[in-house]
Amino acid sequence: MTNKNPNTLTYHINGMDCPDCAAKVKKVADRLAGVENLRVDFTTGKLSAKVTSPEAADQLRDTVESLGYTLHDASQPVTSVLRVENLDCSEEVSLIEKMLGHLPGLVSLDANPVTQRLAVVHDPEQLPLGQIIAALAEAKLTAVPFGEARVKGGFWTENGALVAMLSAAVLVALGLTLHHVLGAGAGAVWAKLAFGSAILAGGWPIARKAWAAAHHGAIDMNVLMSVAVIGALFIDAWDEGAMVVFLFSLAQWLESRSMDRARNAVRALMELAPPVARVLREGHEVTVAVEQVQVGEIIRLRPGDKAPLDGEVVDGHSALNQAPITGESLPVEKTPGDTVYAGSINGQGSLDLRVTHLAADTTLAHIIHLIEEAQAARAPTQTFIDRFARVYTPAVLLLAALIAVLPPLLFGQAFDDWFYRALVLLVIACPCALVISTPVAIVSGLARGARAGVLIKGGIHLENIGHLRALAFDKTGTLTEGRPKVQDVETLGDTPAAQLLRIAASLEARSEHPLAQAILEHAAEAGITPDEVSDFQARTGRGVQARIDGRYYQLGNHRLFEERGLCGPAVKAVLDRREAEGKTVIILGDEQHVLGLISIADQPRANAREAIARLRALGIQNITLLTGDNRGAARAIAGHLGIDAPRAELLPADKVEAVKALVARHQRVGMVGDGVNDAPAMAAATTGIAMGAAGSDVALETADLVLMGDDLARLPFAIRLSRASLRVIHQNIAMALGLKAIFLALAIPGYATLWMAVFADMGASLLVIANSLRLLRLR
């Protein structure tokens, strides 16, 4: 907040992209009491006003944000995220750092050439976003706010590089033909003319970028190639210079197209939800942009439509394909009351949905946002490679300079020969293939996971998952269906079973726990309505207590009643019998006696046993079960699924300690739960894994790996994907370093030519990208 005047506020408005938007904000905010001298400037994106009270300031902020805009205090640094169209290699990253690093108001920046994402933390007063975009434009880097539609340029903007490359190809072919057909003499002159034309036609995009980089003190691949070409002309190697220009132009064009394939794998997620929705307003169906649809409005899905927003079915029946969100292969039946996710594909029926989330808050929007953040997070391997690359390029440049100068000076060797060898070293000095070897593989891995309903929150977690040595599972809702059913209601006194069920339902009416829901559903099926309770208290890890009509009741597990000294032989006999059957037993009592017991059972997931077997086949032999349930139920589930050493009757804090003990023993441990109740235990693990998280914002935020659906088979797939990604990363690094080493060894004794070095350097980049794209086809 700007304090030139204590009552004056200045904000930056995000999302205000037209004069009409500014006029709308001013019209609405001008009506507010306590707000004076309001100014909304579209060109600077600022709002300023005098306010008479803190309440008026809060009302101003709330009103503007209710119109769909985001306000940022103009005196605080903000984070602007841009997509830089020409950001394809580490060299552009270095150029951006040099161009923006000296600007006053810059706090930090992070550029990712794989995703073309540039995040800039800056003071908007000292360094407006427009100035950042203009500075990038000076270096021929086109930047737009991330997420905005790409504005296409003219023919030359879109196709200039392709035309330059094709022109160079034709002219190089002409030069080689003239040289071979006409031979020396006049033929050499005409060949040089063709080669020179090829250098001019194909080299102007390279030279333009080289000049921009050199002007700001950056040495990038374009500078190195330009120097190599000029050097080739200096020693009269016109054919070599022309071949370098052609091969470099071809390689850059192919690399750009290959990188786009990796980027589009993630961008495709952004196109899952349509940009417009059919909204029912005043009895009519109107088509509006999704950003203009409010929570609570009714939208209509026709057969074959994609859901534009999250919503709850209010009318109609249909089967929806949720694979884009959850990875589920089969359509899911939807009836009134069911949730529909944006991006789901409607089947043959028609559905009316009540919108539950704005366009920016849908599950799909959360997934896209988290993937963007995951792409920006650096993996440990990537961090190491970046450090190595900073040393590699200066070292090779120094070696090239020494090779060009020392042999002629010290040993009387021919200057042209050693100068040529130095030029070859210049060509292979760029570490582009090495730098992109890790991020392009990680982006491909993240995109493949997202398409299968597996959301991995960054490269570090993608690497960690493949190294897991042990897994701990929660039981309810993870290994079981999470829909427990009441099996038995047994009385131990004079209280009728129906009365027992009424009391239990009354005590559980406020709970969202699956066992509580089972009791409430059973009571509803029996036509029983819960009573009002008073003095309600929840006992963590034990149960609940309250008064009904003035009488005290308590409902909970064995531990609760054991601590109260109420578990007699009759109670223990029923407990032992039901727990041996694999059932969970809930005990109901008053202050002095146990009144009865309710047995509940939850079925294991259909594919849980197969998933556990697949995990063991992948080498994860240490698999355990951590549950708050009784020992009998834990042993029954563990025995059925083939899990060793289940641990039962654990409080949340006990689960955390159990996970910490596993980490101390096995180092790399994953905890699989629902992402909500198990969040502390998941945080204690190396990798927290949440299941069935499509409808849970908390799970999306807390877990490191999120299985959007309820399919446990996605977990072995995630581990295979991680290991495949690690293999690809290692292969990429080996290819990039191997080719560099080979050509370093060939260049010094003079066995490598300029065009061979270009072909090998850019070929390494293409190999790295192509190898990484294989991850998108992992089954």
Side-chain angles (χ1 to χ4, degrees):
M1 199 173 295
T2 303
N3 282 324
K4 295 174 183 175
N5 182 318
N7 296 323
T8 299
L9 308 180
T10 304
Y11 291 110
H12 284 276
I13 308 179
N14 279 3
M16 187 175 68
D17 51 11
C18 65
D20 288 342
C21 299
K24 178 175 68 174
V25 170
K26 180 168 175 56
K27 181 178 178 181
V28 174
D30 259 338
R31 303 171 184 168
L32 299 176
V35 177
E36 303 170 354
N37 298 340
L38 180 73
R39 295 185 61 189
V40 182
D41 190 336
F42 158 67
T43 56
T44 61
K46 286 184 183 179
L47 176 151
S48 62
K50 283 188 177 181
V51 294
T52 57
S53 67
E55 291 76 16
D58 291 340
Q59 188 178 12
L60 174 61
R61 173 183 278 273
D62 292 343
T63 299
V64 175
E65 291 185 343
S66 71
L67 296 174
Y69 304 106
T70 305
L71 294 182
H72 291 292
D73 188 337
S75 65
Q76 298 295 323
V78 298
T79 301
S80 299
V81 183
L82 301 171
R83 185 174 76 249
V84 184
E85 296 290 345
N86 317 89
L87 180 57
D88 291 317
C89 189
S90 60
E91 306 302 329
E92 280 92 7
V93 175
S94 299
L95 177 58
I96 289 172
E97 289 172 348
K98 286 185 177 293
M99 292 201 61
L100 302 183
H102 69 281
L103 297 178
L106 180 74
V107 178
S108 65
L109 62 85
D110 182 61
N112 187 327
V114 176
T115 58
Q116 295 185 321
R117 185 179 189 270
L118 172 64
V120 185
V121 181
H122 61 107
D123 182 340
E125 287 287 314
Q126 286 185 282
L127 183 59
L129 182 59
Q131 185 179 344
I132 295 172
I133 293 174
L136 293 171
E138 287 182 21
K140 312 305 178 186
L141 297 171
T142 305
V144 295
F146 203 87
E148 279 192 11
R150 179 176 177 271
V151 179
K152 288 193 174 184
F155 176 83
W156 286 106
T157 303
E158 296 293 318
N159 303 290
L162 176 61
V163 171
M165 183 267 293
L166 292 176
S167 301
V170 172
L171 290 167
V172 166
L174 177 62
L176 291 173
T177 303
L178 291 171
H179 177 74
H180 287 290
V181 172
L182 300 180
V189 174
W190 287 107
K192 278 188 178 182
L193 181 60
F195 289 138
S197 300
I199 291 170
L200 291 175
W204 67 266
I206 303 169
R208 187 179 61 173
K209 291 179 181 178
W211 171 254
H215 181 65
H216 292 91
I219 299 177
D220 68 357
M221 193 63 183
N222 296 288
V223 173
L224 296 176
M225 288 295 174
S226 298
V227 172
V229 171
I230 293 169
L233 299 182
F234 178 73
I235 58 175
D236 204 32
W238 289 68
D239 55 341
E240 296 258 18
M243 188 63 76
V244 166
V245 167
F246 163 61
L247 288 175
F248 184 62
S249 301
L250 173 63
Q252 282 203 314
W253 184 79
L254 290 173
E255 183 180 338
S256 176
R257 295 301 172 272
S258 301
M259 291 287 281
D260 281 343
R261 281 194 62 192
R263 293 170 186 138
N264 290 338
V266 174
R267 288 178 186 169
L269 289 173
M270 302 178 188
E271 299 171 2
L272 285 175
V276 297
R278 295 189 184 93
V279 186
L280 301 181
R281 291 178 177 172
E282 299 178 356
H284 298 286
E285 186 179 302
V286 294
T287 301
V288 299
V290 290
E291 292 80 9
Q292 298 176 8
V293 181
Q294 301 300 313
V295 172
E297 288 198 277
I298 305 299
I299 61 175
R300 177 162 292 168
L301 292 187
R302 294 176 180 171
D305 280 355
K306 287 183 179 180
L309 298 159
D310 287 357
E312 179 184 317
V313 179
V314 294
D315 186 43
H317 298 75
S318 188
L320 270 75
N321 179 1
Q322 297 185 154
I325 308 301
T326 65
E328 294 169 298
S329 57
L330 297 176
V332 180
E333 291 290 334
K334 297 292 182 180
T335 58
D338 290 339
T339 299
V340 172
Y341 303 117
S344 300
I345 304 169
N346 190 23
Q348 298 301 313
S350 178
L351 294 175
D352 286 351
L353 312 178
R354 179 182 293 108
V355 176
T356 55
H357 294 87
L358 296 173
D361 296 325
T362 63
T363 297
L364 179 61
H366 280 294
I367 292 171
I368 293 169
H369 174 66
L370 291 171
I371 289 177
E372 289 171 355
E373 288 188 338
Q375 291 172 338
R378 291 177 177 268
T381 305
Q382 185 178 350
T383 303
F384 165 75
I385 290 297
D386 287 347
R387 288 202 301 267
F388 176 83
R390 291 192 187 99
V391 176
Y392 169 82
T393 300
V396 177
L397 289 176
L398 177 60
L399 179 62
L402 293 175
I403 283 179
V405 173
L406 292 183
L409 282 181
L410 299 181
F411 306 107
Q413 298 288 315
F415 174 75
D416 285 4
D417 185 26
W418 288 96
F419 183 69
Y420 183 84
R421 298 180 193 189
L423 294 179
V424 174
L425 283 179
L426 282 183
V427 171
I428 60 176
C430 177
C432 198
L434 183 62
V435 171
I436 66 172
S437 61
T438 298
V440 74
I442 286 174
V443 168
S444 297
L446 295 177
R448 178 65 188 98
R451 276 172 27 193
V454 177
L455 179 59
I456 303 170
K457 306 278 279 295
I460 185 170
H461 302 301
L462 184 64
E463 290 192 14
N464 284 341
I465 294 159
H467 292 131
L468 290 179
R469 297 180 180 176
L471 279 170
F473 285 87
D474 178 46
K475 181 178 77 71
T476 304
T478 303
L479 293 173
T480 64
E481 295 287 352
R483 294 188 291 271
K485 301 289 184 183
V486 172
Q487 306 294 316
D488 312 283
V489 179
E490 302 173 75
T491 65
L492 293 182
D494 299 330
T495 306
Q499 181 65 9
L500 277 178
L501 194 56
R502 182 186 301 276
I503 296 169
S506 302
L507 293 172
E508 295 284 34
R510 303 183 184 186
S511 176
E512 296 294 329
H513 193 280
L515 298 181
Q517 295 303 305
I519 292 173
L520 290 168
E521 287 176 10
H522 192 70
E525 291 170 2
I528 295 173
T529 305
D531 295 325
E532 291 293 323
V533 302
S534 59
D535 299 333
F536 178 87
Q537 283 187 319
R539 302 287 306 280
T540 303
R542 291 167 175 80
V544 296
Q545 61 189 46
R547 293 185 181 277
I548 302 175
D549 295 331
R551 184 177 176 184
Y552 173 87
Y553 293 100
Q554 51 189 337
L555 180 77
N557 57 22
H558 183 199
R559 177 180 293 189
L560 173 64
F561 286 84
E562 189 73 40
E563 291 174 353
R564 300 289 173 88
L566 299 179
C567 276
V571 174
K572 289 185 178 178
V574 176
L575 278 171
D576 292 342
R577 185 172 72 254
R578 295 306 184 195
E579 289 180 359
E581 297 170 356
K583 297 175 182 176
T584 302
V585 182
I586 305 296
I587 306 173
L588 175 65
D590 56 18
E591 287 182 295
Q592 299 178 340
H593 304 94
V594 171
L595 303 178
L597 301 95
I598 300 174
S599 302
I600 300 173
D602 190 9
Q603 297 300 312
R605 292 189 183 277
N607 64 346
R609 185 180 179 86
E610 181 185 359
I612 297 298
R614 287 184 180 179
L615 290 170
R616 291 196 185 282
L618 288 169
I620 302 178
Q621 299 301 321
N622 301 290
I623 300 176
T624 190
L625 172 66
L626 306 179
T627 178
D629 211 340
N630 63 75
R631 290 183 178 84
R635 281 195 297 266
I637 289 289
H640 176 73
L641 300 180
I643 294 177
D644 306 321
R647 297 190 57 182
E649 299 180 9
L650 299 177
L651 298 174
D654 297 330
K655 288 186 180 182
V656 172
E657 293 304 315
V659 170
K660 287 181 178 178
L662 286 171
V663 172
R665 193 178 314 131
H666 303 291
Q667 286 77 53
R668 308 236 182 201
V669 177
M671 173 67 198
V672 189
D674 61 9
V676 183
N677 298 325
D678 301 306
M682 287 164 56
T686 310
T687 304
I689 304 167
M691 265 197 65
S696 170
D697 291 344
V698 177
L700 284 172
E701 295 296 336
T702 58
D704 303 315
L705 184 152
V706 181
L707 307 180
M708 300 302 294
D710 291 323
D711 186 1
L712 265 175
R714 302 290 169 184
L715 183 53
F717 167 76
I719 292 172
R720 287 196 303 109
L721 176 63
S722 170
R723 292 179 180 177
S725 300
L726 288 170
R727 283 196 302 272
V728 166
I729 288 170
H730 294 153
Q731 290 165 1
N732 288 349
I733 293 171
M735 283 190 291
L737 285 178
L739 281 170
K740 295 288 185 187
I742 290 170
F743 272 84
L744 274 172
L746 291 174
I748 294 174
Y751 295 122
T753 63
L754 271 176
W755 67 267
M756 287 169 59
V758 174
F759 192 80
D761 188 75
M762 291 298 114
S765 295
L766 295 176
L767 281 174
V768 161
I769 296 167
N771 192 42
S772 300
L773 291 176
R774 292 190 303 115
L775 291 170
L776 296 174
R777 299 192 296 273
L778 184 71
R779 296 181 65 84

